[in-house]
Amino acid sequence: MARKERPLDGEDGPLLEFATALRRLRHEAGSPPYRDMSARAHYSVATLSGAAAGRRLPSLDVTLSYVRACGGDPGEWERRWHEAAVRLAGDGAGSGAPQDAGSGPGDAQGLPYVGLAPFRAEDAALFFGRERLVEDLFAAVTRHRVVALVGASGAGKSSLLHAGLLPRLHADSPPRAVTVLTPGPHPLDRARRALAMEGATESGTEPAAAERVLVVDQFEEVFTVCADPAERSRFVTEVVAAARRPGSGCRVVLGVRADFYGHCTRHPELVDVLREAQVVVGPMSAAELRRAVVEPARRAGLTVEGGLQATLVAHAHGQVGALPLLSHSLLETWRRRRGAALTLDGFHAAGGFEGALAQSAEALYDSLSAPQQRLARQVFVHLIALGEGTEDTKRPVAREELGQDADTRTVLARAAALRLLTLDRGAVELTHEALIRAWPRLRGWLGDDRERLRRHRQLAEAARAWEAVGRDPGALLRGVPLALARELTADPGGVLVLTAGEREFLAAATAAETAAGDSARRRTRRLRLLVGALAALVVVAAVATGSAVRAEDEVTRQRNDAVAQNLAETSADMASTEPGLAVQLGLTAYRLSPSARTRDGLLSALMTSLPAHDKEVVALAYRPDGRQLATASGDRTARLWQTRGSGRPTLVATLTGHGAPLRAVAYRPDGRALATAAADGGVRLWDVTDPGRAAVAAELPVRDADVRALAFSPDGRTLATAGAAGAVRLWDVTGVTGVTGVTGVTAVASVAGPAGAPRAARPPVEAATVPGHRDTVRAVAFSPDGRILASGGEDTTVRLTDVSDRTRPAPLAVLRGQDIAVFSVAFAPGGRILATASGGRTPVRLWDLAEPRRPAPLATLAGHTDVVGSVAFSPDGRSLASASDDRTVRLWSVARGARPAPLATLTGHVTAVGSVAFSPDGAVLASGGYDTTLRLADTGLDRALAGACAHTGPRITRAQWASYLPYLDYAPPCSGLERPPATGRTP
């Protein structure tokens, strides 16, 4: 008889509901003893009973094993588990995390990472990796009266000041009183108030101390937000003098962004500071990065998967401004944690390193209504100060400037909840400038509206100056500046919103210009008298004509280059929404300035794109005859597509039945069978002789928890599988025959199995296990002659194994040199070259296998800025394609082996690109992304460019031309009447 379970106690909540539902399932199954359940589930009795104890949320694997042991529906219970995890995260306790996490250090909700926001003093317990730099800064403050902390945007200056220096100063004996300020639009007033606060601290509550420290964070606001040069100079003078005055008990620390270093050198007082006492914030070392990643999680009772640690460190190592992206991607990975573990899969699901921030921002934008989206555009561009020779920066804005209506409150509240905006003390600002770099939509807004935003900033400054001098008419705008300012009142996109003061300033300037009409006419008559004198200068001007023409040609060329680059970026961004217009803009850019950048933008716009799955596309493979393409997805399905060159493919069948997200897909060389692998270890062989009647032919008895890669031998007799715990297995599949006479649908099919499916003539048999790897294996590939198997994995190695005798594989060599895990391997058609995909400093490498027992490094392909997840050779071996988490697909010429050269960079995927494959004839390159899309590109670059006009649709209108190319005469690149070739790409 089953032992009676202890009653559940505690308050109602998602944990108690989940545990109650598990107990009910066991009761409905006849209350089997936990010992019997353990035998079926392969988990211990304690683990299974603990899953229904209600003390914490069990992991997803334990939950599904419990459910299967009780005969429940794993799909339904996976949905329930995710719902419970989301509710727990909303309550401040994550899945698998201690329920009292909110009581720990840091955020009130117990978050182990702060995301985009800089660390505050109360977050000091979560601030790791900068201990040595904190001591260096403290020592500098002790030795010098004024210290400059200099670092690039995103280097962590604010966090170092608040969570590092401030606690260190308070802990000193005697403790130092600290005042923190940011300059804002009127830095002099703020500085005088701060310097007048005798013994004041950051909170204003501590008693007076023997010495005070004034910390000026975001010192660059003196140059970006303060519009008065005189006030700027007085501020610098008074702050430095306050510390250097004889007998002063004040020390000053300035946090300065590195790209404003030149601005600081214009002030003699700051030159002395920068010469004598500056501390530079550089990139964190690998060990420091690992502490910053692991220690906050450890304090919260969490673990960080080894592969995730390596990936994050490789991403951020040597990148001086990467810390906000690192912190945000960690926060989003924590939200997608599995039990008490932060995983590499959660990291990729969040969008990767840069994609996590863009994904959060896009999630905010997509959650808003159309009017709220327009408001969001107004708000975000209003919070940015445009750079003058420097990067764009954030600027704080008073809350009342943004409006008080319900939609504005909704936009601000949702953005603040995602930590994209900070609402503090009546002001609104971007949480970090990294958002400007990482969110493509915001960069597009700034590019579209840059000139209008500059005019608006100039108008705002002029209106403030007019108010400051008592609305003196002499401070009003006139002439062209006034005309340009008046254009802002007719903002077609509703991007700019003028304040009441700015509207009054414009009205007063317009009235003054009307009153001065007579004076203007008199000036015109005088100017006419000058015309005769100017005529005499014509002869002189003729002499300078030659020089002027050459100068004008150079100016025109530079303008064309700038316009073309902007057009190329615009066309790539709109390729998925307005493909015909995107192609015409890309073609105009290429003809205006034929460069590699504009060519790549046009080629990207010409790619066919379609949503292929409900979740990420993780793998794809062409059938050997090139007429069919298979895709595998995290939505647990594989799909078969009928292909027509680079034209839009047609869905033929959807293969269902796997109980977990798919990891890999591969065709047998005869094209009659397809292998699919899933995260739960399930591997199936499908008969796809007739894709409309596809059926399960066999299932492999794989014992691994997660199968990551598949590869058929060239003779089709052996299937290699690879996955968790370093497992690489060889299977004899000669008995798996084609299935004929199976009834089923004849059009698009949704094929489930294996219930009722025909079985193989002889089931697959495990022939051998390939030893060597110490961690998960992510990639396998056979050489073209079938004698060598290459495998790569998370132990950062690639192993070559002799598999001439399938039953006795023999090690040949181990390839080392990758910084992080190896995610893909591919043999060139001749078998002499092997390509490997990884990350860090060597994302793509080529190896010479002329002597398989002594492989030699051949070349490193540099260019990707993130992890490379897939590589593939073209059928002729002259080209290599690589797909990366940096959202690009790159084509390389590898015909010369040791001297590879870039051919093209294709964009368009909005998140990481997970897989890439050439068609058997080499004419098409397919790529699948975590944005759920499949994209097809014509690899004949010259052919694609020559036929671009066949994919444009209606010709660009004059209104559209004026919107994108206001400085050029209307000259459509295509007539709009061309017809695409019968087998080519369709728009």
Side-chain angles (χ1 to χ4, degrees):
M1 177 179 292
R3 179 167 54 90
K4 187 175 181 180
E5 291 184 298
R6 180 179 301 171
L8 294 171
D9 54 9
E11 300 179 359
D12 290 341
L15 278 178
L16 190 61
E17 293 174 7
F18 194 80
T20 301
L22 282 176
R23 292 190 176 192
R24 186 183 304 115
L25 175 67
R26 178 172 175 246
H27 176 73
E28 292 171 352
S31 299
Y34 275 115
R35 188 176 301 278
D36 294 348
M37 291 174 61
S38 175
R40 292 195 292 268
H42 305 293
Y43 275 101
S44 68
V45 170
T47 299
L48 293 176
S49 62
R55 291 187 294 271
R56 59 187 296 144
L57 187 66
S59 71
L60 180 59
D61 287 342
V62 171
T63 299
L64 296 182
S65 297
Y66 188 110
V67 169
R68 292 190 187 98
C70 295
D73 180 1
E76 169 66 17
W77 277 90
E78 182 172 357
R79 181 187 62 78
R80 287 193 184 188
W81 186 91
H82 283 295
E83 289 178 353
V86 169
R87 292 177 61 192
L88 285 169
D91 293 341
S95 59
Q99 294 187 51
D100 60 350
S103 62
D107 190 282
Q109 294 182 351
L111 304 180
Y113 305 103
V114 300
L116 275 187
F119 285 83
R120 300 161 299 182
E122 54 266 36
D123 299 321
L126 301 177
F127 187 62
F128 292 96
R130 287 295 197 188
E131 292 82 2
R132 181 176 61 82
L133 191 56
V134 170
E135 290 304 318
D136 290 347
L137 179 58
F138 176 77
V141 173
T142 302
R143 290 194 304 268
H144 302 283
R145 307 301 305 179
V146 185
V147 176
L149 180 68
V150 182
S153 174
K157 299 182 299 301
S158 293
S159 298
L160 186 66
L161 291 172
H162 288 267
L165 179 61
L166 264 63
R168 183 67 179 85
L169 291 171
H170 287 309
D172 195 24
S173 181
R176 317 286 182 94
V178 182
T179 303
V180 180
L181 66 85
T182 53
H186 300 292
L188 191 58
D189 292 342
R190 294 190 178 186
R192 287 173 175 171
R193 287 197 301 269
L195 294 171
M197 295 168 62
E198 291 296 335
T201 65
E202 188 180 23
S203 63
T205 59
E206 295 185 17
E211 193 171 52
R212 291 183 294 130
V213 179
L214 174 63
V215 176
V216 184
D217 192 14
Q218 299 175 40
F219 185 77
E220 60 273 7
E221 287 188 4
V222 173
F223 306 107
T224 60
V225 180
C226 176
D228 185 353
E231 180 176 2
R232 182 182 307 149
S233 296
R234 290 198 301 272
F235 168 77
V236 171
T237 300
E238 291 195 17
V239 167
V240 175
R244 291 184 168 174
R245 187 180 301 116
S248 171
C250 177
R251 296 177 186 268
V252 175
V253 181
L254 308 177
V256 185
R257 222 175 74 179
D259 51 335
F260 286 88
Y261 199 93
H263 292 66
C264 294
T265 59
R266 299 170 190 167
H267 299 268
E269 304 93 332
L270 295 180
V271 171
D272 293 339
V273 174
L274 295 173
R275 182 188 302 118
E276 299 171 1
Q278 66 169 310
V279 177
V280 178
V281 183
M284 297 174 74
S285 68
E288 290 173 333
L289 287 168
R290 198 172 297 277
R291 279 181 57 77
V293 169
V294 173
E295 288 302 317
R298 185 184 63 79
R299 290 180 63 86
L302 306 171
T303 61
V304 182
E305 192 177 76
L308 175 58
Q309 292 183 36
T311 299
L312 290 171
V313 171
H315 276 304
H317 190 231
Q319 304 296 320
V320 85
L323 296 184
L325 298 177
L326 173 67
S327 185
H328 183 81
S329 61
L330 278 167
L331 178 61
E332 293 303 311
T333 303
W334 174 82
R335 298 186 193 281
R336 295 163 176 81
R337 62 197 182 279
R338 184 173 64 226
L342 276 66
T343 66
L344 190 60
D345 288 339
F347 170 74
H348 286 306
F353 196 65
E354 291 190 356
L357 181 51
Q359 188 166 298
S360 296
E362 282 298 311
L364 164 69
Y365 187 78
D366 292 340
S367 72
L368 303 174
S369 65
Q372 290 169 347
Q373 288 178 344
R374 289 193 293 273
L375 275 173
R377 179 172 181 172
Q378 294 173 5
V379 168
F380 278 96
V381 300
H382 201 62
L383 296 174
I384 295 172
L386 303 181
E388 298 289 349
T390 60
E391 293 183 4
D392 297 337
T393 59
K394 64 178 182 175
R395 70 180 190 116
V397 170
R399 173 65 182 85
E400 56 268 18
E401 285 189 35
L402 302 177
Q404 302 294 332
D405 58 283
D407 280 345
T408 301
R409 291 197 298 270
T410 298
V411 170
L412 295 178
R414 293 187 184 179
L418 289 173
R419 299 196 171 199
L420 302 177
L421 297 183
T422 300
L423 313 179
D424 187 25
R425 295 189 293 271
V428 182
E429 64 177 330
L430 297 182
T431 301
H432 202 282
E433 286 148 355
L435 184 64
I436 305 174
R437 301 190 298 270
W439 189 12
R441 187 184 298 276
L442 180 55
R443 291 202 310 272
W445 288 340
L446 293 175
D448 294 342
D449 306 324
R450 183 166 292 269
E451 185 56 35
R452 296 178 64 83
L453 288 169
R454 289 191 193 282
R455 293 183 196 171
H456 183 238
R457 301 289 189 266
Q458 293 165 359
L459 171 62
E461 291 172 10
R464 284 195 294 268
W466 179 61
E467 292 283 357
V469 295
R471 299 196 170 191
D472 188 331
L476 294 171
L477 295 178
R478 291 180 174 82
V480 174
L482 176 58
L484 294 175
R486 277 202 297 259
E487 290 180 3
L488 298 175
T489 61
D491 182 11
V495 175
L496 302 178
V497 179
L498 303 186
T499 64
E502 292 164 355
R503 289 193 295 270
E504 292 177 9
F505 174 71
L506 277 182
T510 302
E513 184 180 60
T514 302
D518 291 341
S519 177
R521 284 189 290 273
R522 287 193 297 270
R523 287 195 301 271
T524 301
R525 286 195 295 269
R526 289 196 298 269
L527 288 173
R528 287 174 181 170
L529 297 176
L530 296 176
V531 172
L534 292 175
L537 298 176
V538 172
V539 176
V540 178
V543 177
T545 299
S547 298
V549 169
R550 288 191 296 272
E552 183 178 3
D553 289 343
E554 178 61 18
V555 170
T556 300
R557 185 191 65 77
Q558 293 179 2
R559 182 203 64 185
N560 289 350
D561 289 346
V563 171
Q565 290 184 10
N566 185 54
L567 270 184
E569 294 175 357
T570 301
S571 67
D573 290 342
M574 65 192 322
S576 60
T577 56
E578 296 183 81
L581 179 58
V583 170
Q584 292 179 77
L585 293 179
L587 188 56
T588 301
Y590 183 68
R591 291 178 179 175
L592 195 61
S593 177
S595 64
R597 189 171 181 178
T598 55
R599 180 205 61 194
D600 291 349
L602 177 55
L603 292 173
S604 300
L606 286 168
M607 294 175 71
T608 297
S609 176
L610 72 155
H613 285 272
D614 295 332
K615 291 188 177 181
E616 65 270 18
V617 180
V618 297
L620 44 81
Y622 271 98
R623 196 169 67 182
D625 64 4
R627 294 161 58 186
Q628 190 179 106
L629 176 68
T631 57
S633 171
D635 63 8
R636 305 185 186 185
T637 70
R639 290 186 171 179
L640 306 181
W641 306 83
Q642 181 182 351
T643 57
R644 293 178 292 276
S646 60
R648 190 177 185 88
T650 302
L651 179 62
V652 177
T654 299
L655 312 181
T656 63
H658 277 289
L662 267 62
R663 299 295 199 191
V665 63
Y667 275 100
R668 196 168 65 186
D670 62 3
R672 295 170 59 86
L674 179 75
T676 57
D680 60 1
V683 177
R684 293 184 172 188
L685 296 177
W686 303 79
D687 176 16
V688 292
T689 307
D690 180 355
R693 300 184 178 185
V696 177
E699 289 192 35
L700 272 63
V702 181
R703 300 184 301 276
D704 309 316
D706 189 355
V707 176
R708 288 280 185 166
L710 299 169
F712 277 102
S713 62
D715 61 9
R717 300 168 63 86
T718 304
L719 176 66
T721 64
V728 179
R729 305 183 190 280
L730 301 180
W731 302 84
D732 182 352
V733 293
T734 46
V736 180
T737 59
V739 180
T740 59
V742 181
T743 60
V745 296
T746 58
V748 175
S750 180
V751 182
R759 308 306 297 175
R762 180 165 62 85
V765 177
E766 183 175 350
T769 298
V770 179
H773 284 286
R774 300 188 306 275
D775 205 341
T776 299
V777 182
R778 303 294 292 266
V780 288
F782 283 93
S783 61
D785 62 5
R787 300 174 64 86
I788 299 175
L789 180 73
S791 56
E794 293 185 2
D795 58 4
T796 74
T797 67
V798 176
R799 293 182 175 268
L800 302 181
T801 304
D802 185 345
V803 290
S804 302
D805 183 347
R806 300 291 195 267
T807 61
R808 289 192 294 274
L812 288 174
V814 179
L815 282 62
R816 306 182 188 276
Q818 280 77 16
D819 296 322
I820 63 172
V822 178
F823 300 103
S824 180
V825 294
F827 282 94
R832 290 282 301 270
I833 297 177
L834 178 72
T836 61
S838 182
R841 294 166 296 178
T842 57
V844 181
R845 301 190 70 174
L846 301 181
W847 302 82
D848 185 352
L849 302 187
E851 296 183 53
R853 293 187 180 277
R854 288 185 293 276
L858 189 60
T860 298
L861 280 60
H864 283 294
T865 60
D866 208 332
V867 168
V868 176
S870 179
V871 287
F873 280 97
S874 61
D876 62 5
R878 300 178 63 85
S879 301
L880 178 74
S882 55
S884 170
D885 283 10
D886 66 9
R887 297 171 284 177
T888 68
V889 175
R890 290 180 179 257
L891 275 172
W892 313 82
S893 171
V894 292
R896 302 180 67 180
R899 300 177 64 183
L903 290 175
T905 301
L906 304 177
T907 59
H909 286 286
V910 299
T911 56
V913 189
S915 52
V916 68
F918 282 95
S919 61
D921 62 1
V924 180
L925 179 66
S927 60
Y930 280 78
D931 56 4
T932 75
T933 65
L934 169 68
R935 296 177 69 86
L936 303 177
D938 190 338
T939 59
L941 305 185
D942 293 337
R943 180 178 64 248
L945 295 174
C949 280
H951 310 294
T952 60
R955 182 170 60 184
I956 185 172
T957 66
R958 287 183 179 273
Q960 290 170 328
W961 185 275
S963 174
Y964 294 102
L965 297 109
Y967 306 109
L968 299 178
D969 293 335
Y970 179 61
C974 305
S975 68
L977 302 177
E978 293 85 357
R979 294 179 179 274
T983 59
R985 175 187 181 276
T986 56

